[in-house]
Amino acid sequence: MTLAQKTAELELALKKQGGLITRCSELENDVDDVKKKLEKAEERNSYYEERHGLIEAVVYQKKLEADIRRRDRDMKQLTRKLGIEIERRVTLTKWVRDKSGFDPDFDEEEVSAALACEENGLKNENSELIRQVEQLEADRLKMLAQLREKAIEIGDKGVRFLGMDSEQIDQVIEFASNLRQ
């Protein structure tokens, strides 16, 4: 190796060393910046802890945990109530199946059809009863009219033929009114 080569190698090593020294000083500046940021973050944390306090945070956390336990307890109670209601409905469904004569493996369409048939039967029976009530009401009104006519007729005849006075005619009218009720 010649002197020129060794000098070139030495200059190259010096340039590398200069670059490393520059990089090292940059990293030291970065470390100082990070230390300053860490100090500021610690100051903010201590300020927050002083202002808001960890005690309040712990109390709030315990409150939230108590709320979670309460909701879990409520969910268990509701689940238990739901289970009881499901059992009741299953029992009721089995009873309805037994009483209705359906086989245990009936489908919803069959039940819907049976309920619709029953509903139609009840509607028809209801309309027939309404018609009968209307007919009876019409008959009642007709009989009341006849009763009024007879009361007047009896009143006229009572005075003329039977010798009834007005008080007795009032009693007949009262009797007719009681019949209306």
Side-chain angles (χ1 to χ4, degrees):
M1 244 195 204
T2 64
L3 184 63
Q5 287 177 340
K6 288 210 176 210
T7 305
E9 274 183 31
L10 188 57
E11 285 178 6
L12 186 60
L14 283 174
K15 281 183 183 179
K16 272 186 175 180
Q17 185 180 9
L20 288 175
I21 290 173
T22 304
R23 179 71 179 139
C24 189
S25 68
E26 288 174 0
L27 288 175
E28 284 177 357
N29 288 336
D30 288 345
V31 166
D32 290 338
D33 289 342
V34 170
K35 282 182 182 178
K36 288 178 185 177
K37 287 180 183 178
L38 180 61
E39 287 174 6
K40 285 183 182 179
E42 287 176 355
E43 285 177 18
R44 278 193 308 259
N45 285 343
S46 66
Y47 174 73
Y48 177 80
E49 289 171 1
E50 289 174 8
R51 187 160 185 216
H52 299 288
L54 288 178
I55 295 172
E56 288 85 8
V58 169
V59 168
Y60 183 67
Q61 183 178 2
K62 286 183 179 180
K63 179 187 169 289
L64 291 176
E65 289 172 351
D67 287 346
I68 290 172
R69 284 192 300 274
R70 182 180 46 79
R71 286 190 182 118
D72 286 344
R73 189 174 49 252
D74 291 346
M75 280 181 30
K76 285 179 184 176
Q77 288 176 350
L78 290 174
T79 302
R80 184 181 54 78
K81 286 179 182 178
L82 181 63
I84 291 170
E85 184 65 22
I86 288 172
E87 284 181 28
R88 189 183 72 76
R89 291 191 181 221
V90 165
T91 303
L92 182 62
T93 303
K94 184 178 180 195
W95 181 81
V96 167
R97 285 180 186 167
D98 292 344
K99 291 293 182 182
S100 65
F102 288 121
D103 63 29
D105 296 325
F106 67 90
D107 61 354
E108 288 184 33
E109 291 178 15
E110 185 178 346
V111 172
S112 297
L115 289 175
C117 182
E118 181 69 21
E119 182 179 355
N120 287 335
L122 291 174
K123 283 181 181 179
N124 289 337
E125 185 178 342
N126 194 19
S127 64
E128 175 62 25
L129 290 174
I130 288 172
R131 189 192 61 75
Q132 288 177 5
V133 166
E134 290 171 352
Q135 181 63 40
L136 288 172
E137 182 66 24
D139 290 346
R140 185 184 77 84
L141 293 175
K142 188 170 149 188
M143 288 179 170
L144 285 174
Q146 288 175 353
L147 186 60
R148 283 188 198 110
E149 290 174 12
K150 293 293 181 185
I152 292 170
E153 190 179 310
I154 289 174
D156 289 340
K157 287 181 182 178
V159 170
R160 275 188 272 146
F161 299 111
L162 299 175
M164 293 177 124
D165 60 6
S166 63
E167 188 176 303
Q168 291 171 333
I169 293 173
D170 285 339
Q171 288 176 349
V172 170
I173 292 172
E174 183 181 337
F175 176 73
S177 295
N178 287 339
L179 286 178
R180 280 187 238 160
Q181 295 172 359

